[in-house]
Amino acid sequence: MRPIQMVDTRSQYHKIKADVDSAVLDVMESTAFINGKAVQDFAASLSSYLNIKHTIPCANGTDALQIAMMALGLQPGDEVITPSFTYIATTEVIALLKLTPVFVEVDAKTFCIDPAAIEKAITPKTKAIVPVHLYGQAAPMEAIMAIAKKHNLFVIEDNAQAIGCDYTFSDGSKKKTGTIGHIGTTSFYPSKNLGAFGDGGAMFTNDDSLAAKLKMIANHGQSKQYYHDVVGCNSRLDSIQAAILNIKLKHLDEYASARRKVADHYDRAFANNSKIKTPYRAGYSDHVFHQYTLILDGVDRDGLKKFLADNQIPSMIYYPVPGHKQKMFEQFNVASKQMPVTDWLTERVISLPVHTEMDGEQLDYISTKVLEYIHK
Ligand SMILES: *Cc1c(COP(=O)(O)O)cnc(C)c1O
């Protein structure tokens, strides 16, 4: 059996090696390393794939969130509602900009922000909501957009884990996640569903004036060369990464279906097991399985993790400490806040390997070992 990894970017690369290598060499020969044609081509292909007017590439997914909040004109003291159960990047940038993160609960089924919890957290200072499409499952965007409209709030979708995911509205219309809110953001970190061979990120919007602001802020607040209208930052996707991403984008749908096949395999193996809850699949969207995350009930999680590791099976806890318990947020006086759903999930989740290169033998082995431990 091939060794099991959480992600296998090498085997994935080997399948498209000829295309990737020649695209990289082309950039090297062109020497247009920064904002070259490859970057513009990739932004255009991604816009057309997502069916969005503007894609603004940047250096990483964290910058994308930060620049989005800056472009919306959020001011120190403004409150931003966000889940506690997410990767730190989502919430850290809120605090970095001296905005106030307001952590709310997620729905224990979807792992995504709970619209009812958003409504309860709104105050006169609330300016924005940042839903996260965690693990590749879309947050309930229709309800979130309705709340935002009612209270005149901005929505920034953190789409770092769900690029390519389709969302279906109750009228039957479809949109890609990341194109529903005022701004969507994503990351091209190598292990993400659309991963570069280094860092990268992007922002999406249909709003022309927001697009111009995002672009300007990502480029030192520059309106024309050496004229700087606003304080911005320096956040660029380099041409080599863009050239690679443009090739991988052609495979994104096939990557998503490979991930779903892995999930289907696990789902079948763990069906009707009272101690393991397999990932919920919301009716309003497909699931692109950035992670395959189980909820354990009455299982010693550390014991299972160690047993798997002893059998050469990696697993991960995403994430062991939720935002409202992170030391960096103590100053926001959130440490005492009761978040029973988030705490409950944090203690029970475990993510199994899921990537585009897994085979049936590996999946059978992993499922058998998980069940062996659980029934011990
Ligand atoms: C990866 C990730 C980010 C940050 O992306 P980077 O490119 O690592 O800066 C933000 N939010 C979520 C949910 C992520 O998974």
Side-chain angles (χ1 to χ4, degrees), residues 75-357:
Q75 296 298 317
D78 287 351
E79 293 178 359
V80 179
I81 296 176
T82 181
S84 174
F85 194 71
T86 180
Y87 181 53
I88 197 70
T90 319
T91 50
E92 183 185 31
V93 296
I94 299 172
L96 182 73
L97 293 172
K98 304 259 184 286
L99 313 172
T100 305
V102 175
F103 294 111
V104 302
E105 288 279 35
V106 290
D107 177 332
K109 270 202 321 242
T110 63
F111 301 115
C112 292
I113 198 165
D114 178 358
I118 297 176
E119 288 247 54
K120 273 191 231 142
I122 292 172
T123 76
K125 286 184 173 171
T126 308
K127 289 285 153 52
I129 308 167
V130 185
V132 181
H133 304 308
L134 202 72
Y135 305 149
Q137 163 72 69
M141 288 307 294
E142 189 158 355
I144 293 168
M145 294 311 292
I147 294 168
K149 195 166 177 198
K150 183 168 146 202
H151 297 275
N152 202 20
L153 306 174
F154 293 118
V155 175
I156 302 170
E157 291 175 79
D158 183 346
N159 198 32
Q161 301 191 0
I163 193 140
C165 178
D166 281 310
Y167 191 97
T168 308
F169 290 83
S170 47
D171 67 1
S173 64
K174 279 179 193 268
K175 280 186 183 176
K176 293 279 187 195
T177 54
T179 70
I180 303 166
H182 300 88
I183 302 177
T185 66
T186 202
S187 163
F188 305 121
Y189 185 80
S191 64
K192 298 285 158 88
N193 289 30
L194 179 58
F197 288 17
D199 275 311
M203 300 160 286
F204 313 109
T205 188
N206 276 316
D207 181 313
D208 296 343
S209 98
L210 265 180
K213 282 184 194 154
L214 292 166
K215 214 170 185 172
M216 191 192 258
I217 292 167
N219 185 24
H220 297 296
Q222 176 171 287
S223 54
K224 62 178 185 181
Q225 199 171 24
Y226 305 127
Y227 289 77
H228 305 273
D229 296 2
V230 295
V231 174
C233 55
N234 173 26
S235 189
R236 300 186 279 239
L237 178 70
D238 75 68
S239 304
I240 288 182
Q241 299 309 331
I244 296 168
L245 287 164
N246 213 5
I247 288 161
K248 290 188 75 178
L249 177 60
K250 297 190 186 86
H251 299 275
L252 184 58
D253 287 344
E254 126 210 349
Y255 290 163
S257 68
R259 287 172 176 276
R260 274 194 288 270
K261 270 196 196 131
V262 170
D264 292 345
H265 195 118
Y266 283 138
D267 276 3
R268 280 193 301 273
F270 303 140
N272 307 316
N273 191 304
S274 62
K275 293 184 167 184
I276 309 175
K277 204 147 145 223
T278 56
Y280 175 76
R281 305 194 194 192
Y284 55 71
S285 76
D286 57 5
H287 197 313
V288 294
F289 287 101
H290 176 61
Q291 300 297 341
Y292 184 88
T293 305
L294 298 171
I295 304 174
L296 302 174
D297 188 10
V299 179
D300 169 10
R301 183 174 64 176
D302 291 343
L304 171 63
K305 199 169 187 316
K306 182 171 183 307
F307 176 79
L308 293 176
D310 290 345
N311 286 282
Q312 287 72 53
I313 300 168
S315 61
M316 293 290 283
I317 309 303
Y318 297 117
Y319 297 92
V321 184
H324 72 285
K325 289 196 168 159
Q326 291 287 355
K327 202 169 166 195
M328 70 156 75
F329 295 123
E330 269 171 13
Q331 54 177 313
F332 293 93
N333 198 22
V334 291
S336 61
K337 215 169 179 184
Q338 298 298 306
M339 304 203 82
V341 179
T342 295
D343 292 341
W344 187 87
L345 284 175
T346 300
E347 285 162 19
R348 284 168 182 77
V349 289
I350 186 163
S351 300
L352 299 179
V354 54
H355 57 74
T356 58
E357 310 304 314

Side-chain angles (χ1 to χ4, degrees), residues 18-83:
D19 289 348
V20 168
D21 291 3
S22 96
V24 169
L25 289 173
D26 283 350
V27 175
M28 284 165 61
E29 201 52 53
S30 78
T31 70
F33 298 117
I34 300 295
N35 208 21
K37 184 171 175 298
V39 177
Q40 285 142 38
D41 287 352
F42 171 60
S45 332
L46 191 51
S47 290
S48 111
Y49 173 83
L50 294 172
N51 193 20
I52 187 100
K53 212 163 162 192
H54 304 279
T55 293
I56 299 99
C58 65
N60 56 67
T62 310
D63 277 9
L65 287 158
Q66 180 186 328
I67 296 164
M69 288 175 206
M70 291 168 77
L72 292 171
L74 304 186
Q75 296 298 317
D78 287 351
E79 293 178 359
V80 179
I81 296 176
T82 181

